[in-house]
Amino acid sequence: MDIETLALHGGYLPDPATGASATPIHQTAAYAYDAADDLADAFSGRAPGYIYSRIGNPTSSAFERRLTELEGGVGCLSCSSGMAAIASVSMGLTRVGDHIVASGGIFGGTVSFFAKTLARFGVETTFVDAGSVDAFRNALRPNTRMVFVETITNPRMDVPDIPTIAEVCREAGAPFVVDNTVTTPILLRPGEHGADIVIHSLSKFINGHGNSIGGAIVDTGNFDWRNGPFEDIKLLAARAGKLAFLAHLRMLIYRDLGCCPSPFNSFLHLLGIEGLPMRMEAHCRNAQAVAEYLANHPKVTRVNYPGLKANRYHELASHLFGGRFGAILTFRTGSTKAAEAFIDNARLAQNLANIGDSKTLIIHPASTIFQEFSPADREAMGVPDDLIRVSVGVENVKDIIADFETALEKV
C-alpha cells in the first residue's frame, strides 16, 4: 500500500470482539490470566501475551505496527516521550567507557542528555559538523557504539548526508541512529538510506495537534545483531533474529526505566498519524512560501531553510526529501530586542516550546530551550541571540504571512 493508505490502515484490522473500526483504548495497568502457568508462560516469553502496560499494551501495539509499516521497519517500540526513546536506545547500546558520535546543531535537550546525563555514567559523546562526512569518519573510535543524527538539525537546519554516513557506520560496525522527527516517513524513510534505528518524538508532526507527548523507536532491520560488539544482544538474536535489539530494550532497558506511553496517548498518536500525509504536504508548501517571504523582507537579516536555492543543503535536501523541505525554518532579526518584539506582536503564531503542531509556532531559542548554554556554546549550536525558530502550520499561508507582516512592522 502507498503511504497515504498505510497511515489510515497500516497494522490494524477491526476489533474481532466488537467490529470497532477505531483502535480501542485499553486503559488498563495489567492483564488477567485464568491459570498460573499461563501468566508464567507470558512472563518467560514461552507464550505471547500482555503482562503489564509498562511493558506492552494493545493500543500502543497497534500504533507500533502502523509506524513500523510507515517506516518500512521490522518492529517498533513506543515510548513516553522522544527523549525517552533517545535515552532507551543510548542506554541499550552503550556501557561505561563507550563512545557516541553525534551531529552538532541538534535539539538542546538531546545535546544535554549526551553531554551531561550520559557523561555521568561514563559514556563520552563527540559532536561533529553535521554537514561533513569526514568529520563523522574521523570521530569514530574502536569503542564507538552509536552514531546519531537528525534528518534536519533543530535548530541549526543542517542536513546530514545520511546515505554516505550510513556507509561509514557500516564499515565501522557502529549502529546508525537517525531522528526522523522533523521529516517523518512522509518525506524520508531513513532505513531505505542505510539507517539502522529510527527515532521519533511523536509529540511533533506525527501527533500534529499538540495534545500528547510520546516517542518511538523503529528498527529498520539493517543492522546484523548477530555480529558486532553487543554480546547481550547477540544472545537474544539467536531467538529473536532481527527483533533482537527491540527485545533487548523491552525486556531490560525500557522495562526497567519505565518509558512506556499512556494508552490514551497512543490512541491520540494513531488519530494524528491518519492525517500525517496531507498535513506534511501542507506544512512544506506553507514553509516554502513563508521562507521566500522572509528572505525578501528588509527587516530580516538571514533566513535558514533548505528549500531556498541559496541554502548550502538545498540540493542534498531536495534529493533526500523528494523536493520537499519540511516545516521548520529560522530567521534572524539583527538583535535580541527585535526578536522579542516580533514574538510579542505576533497574534496568529503561538509562542511556545514545541514544533510540528498544525498551528504555526514561534520561539526565541536563546532565552528558552538553549538558555542553560553559554553564549559561545549557543553560537556553535546555531542559536545566536537574535534567532527566531518557526514551525510553520497548515493555516492559509496568506494569514500566516499577514501575521508576520504585522509583527515585523513593530520590529
Side-chain angles (χ1 to χ4, degrees):
M1 292 185 287
D2 285 340
I3 203 158
E4 294 87 355
T5 309
L6 287 175
L8 287 165
H9 298 280
Y12 183 70
L13 295 173
D15 180 46
T18 65
S21 61
T23 305
I25 304 171
H26 295 271
Q27 195 69 39
T28 184
Y31 307 84
Y33 287 76
D34 292 333
D37 285 348
D38 293 339
L39 185 54
D41 287 344
F43 261 92
S44 68
R46 291 189 296 269
Y50 293 98
I51 299 167
Y52 197 68
S53 281
R54 177 162 50 82
I55 303 169
N57 173 278
T59 308
S60 298
S61 294
F63 173 81
E64 290 165 356
R65 290 192 298 270
R66 186 162 301 176
L67 188 58
T68 297
E69 292 199 30
L70 283 173
E71 283 287 4
V74 297
C76 174
L77 188 60
S78 55
C79 301
S80 54
S81 70
M83 286 309 307
I86 292 171
S88 294
V89 168
S90 302
M91 297 182 77
L93 292 175
T94 62
R95 297 173 180 266
V96 174
D98 285 343
H99 176 245
I100 292 171
V101 177
S103 63
I106 56 178
F107 172 58
T110 307
V111 173
S112 180
F113 173 74
F114 286 147
K116 298 178 181 180
T117 304
L118 273 187
R120 297 182 64 197
F121 298 94
V123 177
E124 183 183 357
T125 301
T126 300
F127 294 95
V128 300
D129 179 2
S132 170
V133 174
D134 285 340
F136 284 92
R137 183 181 290 109
N138 295 336
L140 289 168
R141 305 175 187 173
N143 63 334
T144 300
R145 296 294 178 262
M146 169 177 152
V147 175
F148 179 92
V149 303
E150 294 174 347
T151 53
I152 303 176
T153 64
N154 168 25
R156 203 160 70 187
M157 302 299 296
D158 295 331
V159 180
D161 187 343
I162 289 173
T164 308
I165 297 171
E167 293 175 6
V168 171
C169 293
R170 191 75 63 236
E171 293 170 2
F176 185 29
V177 181
V178 176
D179 187 327
N180 197 25
T181 298
V182 172
T183 41
T184 80
I186 307 305
L187 272 62
L188 178 75
R189 285 179 165 185
E192 294 177 352
H193 298 273
D196 300 305
I197 298 164
V198 176
I199 286 177
H200 285 276
S201 174
L202 305 175
S203 328
K204 314 301 191 291
F205 293 97
I206 284 182
N207 174 273
H209 298 87
N211 57 28
S212 59
I213 301 293
I217 304 158
V218 178
D219 191 324
T220 67
N222 289 333
F223 196 87
D224 184 3
W225 299 109
R226 297 169 299 177
N227 297 305
F230 309 104
E231 297 300 328
D232 45 0
I233 306 177
K234 280 183 185 178
L235 294 174
L236 277 173
R239 181 160 55 96
K242 287 183 176 292
L243 293 173
F245 179 63
L246 292 178
H248 166 66
L249 291 186
R250 195 181 292 273
M251 294 164 58
L252 183 66
I253 308 297
Y254 175 89
R255 179 198 68 189
D256 291 353
L257 290 180
C259 292
C260 61
S262 154
F264 184 62
N265 280 10
S266 294
F267 173 78
L268 293 174
H269 297 322
L270 273 166
L271 290 182
I273 213 168
E274 290 187 355
L276 179 65
M278 289 74 73
R279 280 190 286 107
M280 286 306 296
E281 294 295 339
H283 279 303
C284 294
R285 183 173 61 249
N286 283 357
Q288 184 70 39
V290 171
E292 291 173 359
Y293 158 77
L294 290 171
N296 291 298
H297 198 285
K299 291 187 178 179
V300 174
T301 61
R302 183 168 185 251
V303 180
N304 196 354
Y305 182 66
L308 297 176
K309 291 183 179 179
N311 187 280
R312 64 177 286 204
Y313 295 107
H314 179 76
E315 185 174 345
L316 174 62
S318 182
H319 170 70
L320 283 177
F321 310 141
R324 298 158 298 176
F325 302 95
I328 310 301
L329 61 88
T330 63
F331 69 97
R332 300 182 64 173
T333 54
S335 70
T336 301
K337 183 178 179 181
E340 291 174 345
F342 174 85
I343 290 173
D344 290 347
N345 287 283
R347 293 294 175 263
L348 180 70
Q350 296 184 354
N351 175 31
L352 54 84
N354 196 22
I355 60 172
D357 201 329
S358 293
K359 305 177 184 71
T360 296
L361 313 175
I362 54 176
I363 196 169
H364 180 239
S367 63
T368 55
I369 304 168
F370 291 83
Q371 54 83 27
E372 67 182 90
F373 299 97
S374 69
D377 286 342
R378 288 199 298 267
E379 282 285 347
M381 296 163 76
V383 188
D385 288 342
D386 65 336
L387 188 80
I388 295 170
R389 185 188 71 187
V390 184
S391 175
V392 181
V394 299
E395 304 97 339
N396 187 297
V397 73
K398 293 179 182 178
D399 294 324
I400 301 172
I401 291 174
D403 186 46
F404 281 25
E405 180 70 26
T406 301
L408 284 167
E409 288 175 358
K410 307 294 176 125
V411 171

